[in-house]
Amino acid sequence: HSLPIWALTLLSLTACAPDAWRADGNYDAFLEQVRIKCSDARLGRITIRQLMPNANTTDAYFMDVTSEFYHRKISKENYVNALEASYSARSDSPGIRCILDLIPKI
């Protein structure tokens, strides 16, 4: 018997940081804004759309590091460095700039 796609996605995410997928209305709203406003923005050779959860795949690392940054567990500098290293992106790439512009200011 094969598992449905949503079950496989859930299983693949269990290795992520717990807050990457916990219920959090503010974080969910932030991710929806990233999906809407940054979808076509490039992060190295890929677009943000390719990193966001969908029916086919999700990039668990992107979701994990973005959650850590959103929840202020890592600094802006560490977040940008992580994206640069993992996706061969420049710090001023459209994808990084778009996400940084959406992060709520404290």
Side-chain angles (χ1 to χ4, degrees):
H1 301 284
S2 63
L3 291 173
I5 297 259
W6 65 266
L8 291 173
T9 301
L10 184 60
L11 288 173
S12 71
L13 298 176
T14 58
C16 289
D19 57 347
W21 298 97
R22 69 183 165 121
D24 179 339
N26 292 332
Y27 181 61
D28 294 341
F30 164 73
L31 285 180
E32 186 60 21
Q33 288 302 302
V34 170
R35 181 183 315 279
I36 292 168
K37 296 182 178 180
C38 304
S39 196
D40 293 325
R42 298 201 69 78
L43 188 64
R45 290 180 229 130
I46 58 177
T47 63
I48 297 296
R49 175 185 297 116
Q50 294 170 287
L51 300 172
M52 299 293 288
N54 63 52
N56 299 318
T57 187
T58 191
D59 187 303
Y61 179 75
F62 174 77
M63 296 304 293
D64 187 38
V65 74
T66 300
S67 172
E68 289 180 5
F69 177 55
Y70 178 86
H71 290 101
R72 312 266 193 284
K73 292 183 177 183
I74 62 172
S75 68
K76 174 182 172 181
E77 180 180 295
N78 287 344
Y79 180 65
V80 171
N81 288 340
L83 296 179
E84 286 177 306
S86 297
Y87 304 104
S88 301
R90 293 187 344 246
S91 62
D92 66 344
S93 71
I96 290 176
R97 285 193 330 257
C98 186
I99 293 169
L100 294 180
D101 287 346
L102 294 175
I103 284 287
K105 312 297 184 247
I106 7 180

